[in-house]
Amino acid sequence: MSVHVNEKSGVDSLTTVGSVESAFQTAAFALYAYEELGRGEPKLLVFKPEDNGYEEISASALKKAKKGAEGLKKKALKQKELEAKKQQQEADKTAKQLESLDIKIEEDKSLPQAHKAKINKAYESVGQRVKVNGWIHRIRNNKKLVFIVLRDGYGYLQAVLTGNLALAKQTQELTLESSVSLYGTVNKLPEGKSAPGGVELSVDYYEVVGWAPGGEDSFTNKVNENADPSLLLDQRHLALRGETLSSVMKVRALWMKYLRKFFENEGLTEVTPPCMVQTQVEGGSTLFKLNYYGEEAFLTQSSQLYLETCLASLGDVYCVQESFRAEKSHTRRHLSEYTHIESELAFIDFDDLLSHLEKLFVETVGYIMEDPVGGALVKQLNPDFKAPTYPFKRLDYKDALEWLNEHGVPNEDGQKFKFGDDIAEAAERKMVDTMGVPIFLTRFPAEIKSFYMPRCKDDPRVTESVDVLMPNVGEITGGSMRTWNETDLLEGYQREKIDHAPYYWYLDQRKYGSVPHGGYGLGTERILAWLCNRYTVRDCSLYPRFTGRCKP
Ligand code: 4AD
């Protein structure tokens, strides 16, 4: 490679290229620069003013230039060593400063007494000195300024540490998920800046309550959003600290709260039926069997039958109880244990049942959306959520089959639907997603429903039954009227090949002052998957149980 050297117009710099337009001033620097940049030894062409042109460097001049380049190299090395030494000295100085600042984390007793506040209350304490306890959710360290986002289960609070407090060694070593008590003044954020609650805590003092590990065991190594779902489920106890899961759990709590409020307004009484039972409700194939002191027993599939026994003593009733299903299928909406909210209403007909269900969804979702925390969380998790409105679309099973056939949706055997076919999960979801509104799917054939469902008077092939379908999830509720005539109920047991002897107590309801009644069961996790736009019900249970998963 030819490199030009021009004593008059050249420039000795590491950015010089060596062309005629960008020549070096000296041959020594040209050699040094080429070696420094790892380009090898160049062929030097030197400008001769007398010829007004470039000539190859003479052997003696090249020797001299090589010596000069050697000198330049030594000088540069020395300079680098000096700079490194200076940097080290500065780092040592900062470290020393940090060590000495370490002792300065102490409360200034002349400040006003801090009052203890949960984060949601701290938002309302602008201008006051507060003590807020929580966990370090996020931390950003600019050495002189340390920003912490504190989490306490009531909200998130942005906090800023400045001056010596920021520089202190302990502050520099703070880790995610360490628990701390922050003391400071709540300030309103200036226009244009945003943080939860519109405030920032100016910290003047803090205490570490419990350290969380850094390095290998650090929280982010344990819970990584992109990790395999089953690894995240192993770490569920830590994953629950994440923003999405904890938000879903908050919505879940609010849903329960407002459902209870609805039941109270409607005059229902809460009862707690047993979980260990000796009767089935929804078919033998999903029963979890257990050895009960040598007798066969099951974990309950539904508390419905027990609720029915309460009508004559307590009036309309409901329960919030775990139900258990030994589901073989691995679907996004099946759990082995789920929170089943069931209710039973006396002296009603099928239309009353549907109106009651309609009201339940419109009112409970209305309460959540009006709640400042609930409404904000649902909008955040599910920005396109449409709260249900009256009246719900009503669709008979036989009309649903027609719709499915018209839209080319096949049954489970890949054929056209015919009367008596089950509408499986995928077909059901296709239908409700296409329609995009809540649907009451009604009047299912007796053969695909449970023993207790009464036949419709105008068409005895079908029952007074309803599934509530919601877009994105499908069935979230199953309900029906209950056969209240003893003979018809016995026919139901016979049809389903169930021995009715263990159900003597249930049959007695038909003997001792029977009345028309009906009820339903709400799948809590499915309702949340719909409200919070979660792909699977597993995201809506605290510690989900499904095939192969019973820990932690
Ligand atoms: O339709 P199901 O099986 O109805 C009953 O159990 C009735 N005895 C309830 C009643 O009338 N009291 O279940 C009711 C609801 C379903 O609509 C669904 O939302 C939910 O319970 N569900 C499940 N949720 C999660 N995982 C499972 N394996 C579920 N099975 C039913």
Side-chain angles (χ1 to χ4, degrees):
M1 146 127 0
S2 299
V3 165
H4 299 79
V5 178
N6 188 328
E7 207 175 317
K8 280 223 168 77
S9 65
V11 177
D12 279 348
S13 153
L14 287 176
T15 56
T16 300
V17 178
S19 60
V20 176
E21 296 77 24
S22 172
F24 286 97
Q25 189 183 20
T26 64
F29 197 89
L31 289 177
Y32 159 71
Y34 261 62
E35 192 184 339
E36 188 71 11
L37 299 174
R39 292 187 192 160
E41 194 176 318
K43 180 177 163 193
L44 294 179
L45 301 176
V46 182
F47 186 73
K48 298 280 174 198
E50 54 275 28
D51 304 334
N52 198 25
Y54 285 90
E55 250 180 37
E56 194 170 339
I57 192 167
S58 67
S60 61
L62 182 62
K63 201 172 160 195
K64 202 170 145 202
K66 280 189 177 167
K67 221 170 162 190
E70 212 44 50
L72 284 168
K73 201 169 137 189
K74 276 189 192 148
K75 204 169 140 194
L77 206 67
K78 211 166 187 178
Q79 184 65 23
K80 270 187 202 154
E81 278 170 6
L82 268 173
E83 271 167 23
K85 206 169 162 188
K86 207 167 141 200
Q87 270 178 8
Q88 187 56 46
Q89 276 170 346
E90 266 175 24
D92 289 350
K93 199 171 135 200
T94 316
K96 262 209 176 112
Q97 271 175 344
L98 293 184
E99 291 282 351
S100 62
L101 288 169
D102 199 21
I103 47 163
K104 292 214 173 103
I105 301 182
E106 54 193 9
E107 190 173 9
D108 177 351
K109 296 288 178 198
S110 68
L111 290 171
Q113 173 100 26
H115 69 88
K116 203 161 123 182
K118 299 285 189 197
I119 288 177
N120 57 343
K121 296 290 171 215
Y123 295 156
E124 297 158 15
S125 306
V126 173
Q128 296 171 36
R129 187 163 183 263
V130 293
K131 172 186 178 184
V132 191
N133 301 312
W135 290 262
I136 298 181
H137 188 63
R138 272 199 286 270
I139 186 160
R140 189 155 50 85
N141 190 339
N142 293 344
K143 283 255 157 44
K144 286 186 182 150
L145 273 185
V146 175
F147 287 98
I148 289 176
V149 175
L150 194 72
R151 183 192 73 239
D152 72 346
Y154 294 82
Y156 298 90
L157 180 67
Q158 179 166 301
V160 61
L161 283 70
T162 52
N164 286 354
L165 205 53
L167 282 171
K169 186 164 171 270
Q170 179 178 277
T171 309
Q172 298 294 322
E173 289 171 353
L174 284 174
T175 47
L176 283 183
E177 293 305 320
S178 289
S179 50
V180 291
S181 299
L182 303 182
Y183 295 69
T185 308
V186 180
N187 292 317
K188 209 169 156 41
L189 273 183
E191 281 293 313
K193 297 222 165 174
S194 74
V199 298
E200 184 174 79
L201 184 74
S202 284
V203 180
D204 55 56
Y205 170 63
Y206 76 90
E207 289 154 350
V208 175
V209 181
W211 283 96
E216 268 288 285
D217 265 351
S218 67
F219 186 78
T220 36
N221 276 358
K222 290 254 174 174
V223 183
N224 184 326
E225 258 185 51
N226 303 320
D228 184 81
S230 90
L231 291 180
L232 277 176
L233 280 164
D234 287 343
Q235 303 297 331
R236 185 69 161 190
H237 55 296
L238 296 178
L240 280 166
R241 300 183 182 199
E243 285 171 34
T244 305
L245 267 182
S246 58
S247 298
V248 174
M249 292 308 137
K250 280 262 169 188
V251 176
R252 184 182 162 112
L254 289 168
W255 157 253
M256 298 283 199
K257 169 179 158 178
Y258 289 127
L259 196 68
R260 283 193 162 99
K261 175 173 168 175
F262 170 80
F263 285 142
E264 182 165 356
N265 292 348
E266 295 295 305
L268 277 76
T269 297
E270 181 167 3
V271 292
T272 309
C275 276
M276 296 157 125
V277 300
Q278 290 191 310
T279 47
Q280 56 155 291
V281 190
E282 300 300 333
S285 67
T286 59
L287 281 175
F288 271 112
K289 293 192 179 59
L290 67 115
N291 178 336
Y292 191 80
Y293 305 108
E295 279 185 48
E296 184 176 68
F298 318 111
L299 292 175
T300 188
Q301 292 175 312
S302 158
S303 301
Q304 175 198 324
L305 309 191
Y306 291 97
L307 291 186
E308 288 184 54
T309 68
C310 299
L311 292 175
S313 54
L314 301 171
D316 299 342
V317 283
Y318 75 96
C319 70
V320 178
Q321 180 66 284
E322 297 296 277
S323 273
F324 303 86
R325 305 277 170 108
E327 298 283 0
K328 310 282 183 303
S329 48
H330 251 104
T331 82
R332 62 196 243 196
R333 67 177 197 186
H334 283 94
L335 293 167
S336 306
E337 173 179 352
Y338 69 98
T339 304
H340 205 173
I341 298 166
E342 295 182 272
S343 145
E344 213 53 39
L345 309 164
F347 298 105
I348 58 162
D349 62 22
F350 190 43
D351 267 340
D352 295 333
L353 180 68
L354 298 186
S355 304
H356 169 92
L357 271 171
E358 215 167 42
K359 193 170 178 199
L360 179 148
F361 284 108
V362 172
E363 293 202 353
T364 51
V365 173
Y367 291 143
I368 291 186
M369 299 311 284
E370 281 161 23
D371 181 288
V373 174
L377 287 177
V378 173
K379 277 185 204 134
Q380 190 185 313
L381 292 163
N382 191 359
D384 298 327
F385 180 70
K386 285 192 210 86
T389 50
Y390 298 109
F392 282 19
K393 185 178 178 64
R394 288 162 203 228
L395 185 68
D396 273 7
Y397 164 86
K398 66 173 173 32
D399 298 329
L401 297 194
E402 222 167 87
W403 187 98
L404 291 164
N405 286 338
E406 275 169 13
H407 288 78
V409 184
N411 70 7
E412 283 191 290
D413 303 324
Q415 309 288 316
K416 278 196 157 203
F417 275 96
K418 55 188 184 313
F419 189 85
D421 282 349
D422 228 340
I423 303 177
E425 190 173 329
E428 182 186 271
R429 202 158 41 227
K430 171 86 186 154
M431 187 170 69
V432 66
D433 286 355
T434 309
M435 295 184 182
V437 287
I439 300 173
F440 280 155
L441 187 56
T442 54
R443 292 162 61 100
F444 290 87
E447 286 63 31
I448 60 167
K449 284 291 181 186
S450 302
F451 66 89
Y452 55 77
M453 293 192 185
R455 293 174 187 270
C456 293
K457 284 181 201 73
D458 61 346
D459 181 358
R461 294 178 308 158
V462 296
T463 53
E464 290 185 312
S465 50
V466 59
D467 279 358
V468 184
L469 314 184
M470 291 298 183
N472 203 26
V473 185
E475 181 201 332
I476 59 168
T477 298
S480 78
M481 293 300 289
R482 319 303 191 192
T483 304
W484 60 291
N485 169 297
E486 192 180 1
T487 319
D488 293 346
L489 187 57
L490 288 170
E491 185 257 325
Y493 284 118
Q494 205 171 9
R495 186 187 72 229
E496 297 302 316
K497 300 187 179 55
I498 299 171
D499 173 15
H500 63 76
Y503 294 81
Y504 71 93
W505 51 276
Y506 185 64
L507 280 157
D508 268 358
Q509 307 307 313
R510 277 73 190 162
K511 243 187 223 162
Y512 295 87
S514 194
V515 299
H517 64 286
Y520 52 87
L522 310 167
T524 304
E525 293 76 8
R526 290 197 189 174
I527 287 171
L528 283 157
W530 163 63
L531 264 177
C532 301
N533 193 28
R534 294 299 96 196
Y535 176 75
T536 162
V537 290
R538 294 175 191 177
D539 289 350
C540 306
S541 166
L542 198 63
Y543 286 96
R545 300 298 185 236
F546 52 90
T547 332
R549 164 77 48 189
C550 202
K551 68 168 183 188

